Amino acid sequence: MMLVRAALPQEADALAQIGLAAWRKGIKPLVPAHVAAATEQKNPFLPFVRELGPRILVAELDGEPAGLGAREHDDDVISDIWVAPAFEGRGAGSALIKALEAQIAERGYR
């Protein structure tokens, strides 16, 4: 069963790893090698997850985090959707988009 919920502080490392794994699959092949190496070494998802904390939504499937999504500036823009490669095609991304769109509507944006 798919559940979408706020991120928990104790799962920051796991969520950062999901972001990095999704980045590796989808973005890494498109960037220069030095950019890929720096991203791999630094994992920019960790400070991102720690900074946004519970503002990040987590798609959880059968009790396991499957992906994360965010509106980084708390506005009407979905800034991030990252799904763990093992969970692709199982509805995590769609559930995150739906939940984020609901947040946007609740804040009065169209």
Side-chain angles (χ1 to χ4, degrees), residues 25-58:
K25 183 173 181 188
I27 307 297
K28 182 179 177 180
L30 306 175
V31 301
H34 72 282
V35 172
T39 301
E40 292 272 2
Q41 182 179 25
K42 186 176 163 184
N43 191 351
F45 292 95
L46 188 55
F48 173 78
V49 169
R50 287 182 176 156
E51 179 183 331
L52 292 183
R55 288 181 26 220
I56 289 178
L57 295 183
V58 176

Side-chain angles (χ1 to χ4, degrees), residues 83-101:
V83 175
F87 289 96
E88 288 179 356
R90 297 174 65 187
S94 296
L96 287 165
I97 290 170
K98 183 176 178 180
L100 290 163
E101 286 177 336

Side-chain angles (χ1 to χ4, degrees), residues 3 7 9 12 21 59 61 70-71 88-89:
L3 168 71
L61 185 58
R71 295 180 304 120
E88 288 179 356

Side-chain angles (χ1 to χ4, degrees), residues 5-6 10 29 71 80 100:
R5 59 169 176 77
Q10 64 268 27
R71 295 180 304 120
D80 292 86
L100 290 163

Side-chain angles (χ1 to χ4, degrees), residues 2-14:
M2 185 72 64
L3 168 71
V4 176
R5 59 169 176 77
L8 304 171
Q10 64 268 27
E11 64 188 349
D13 289 336

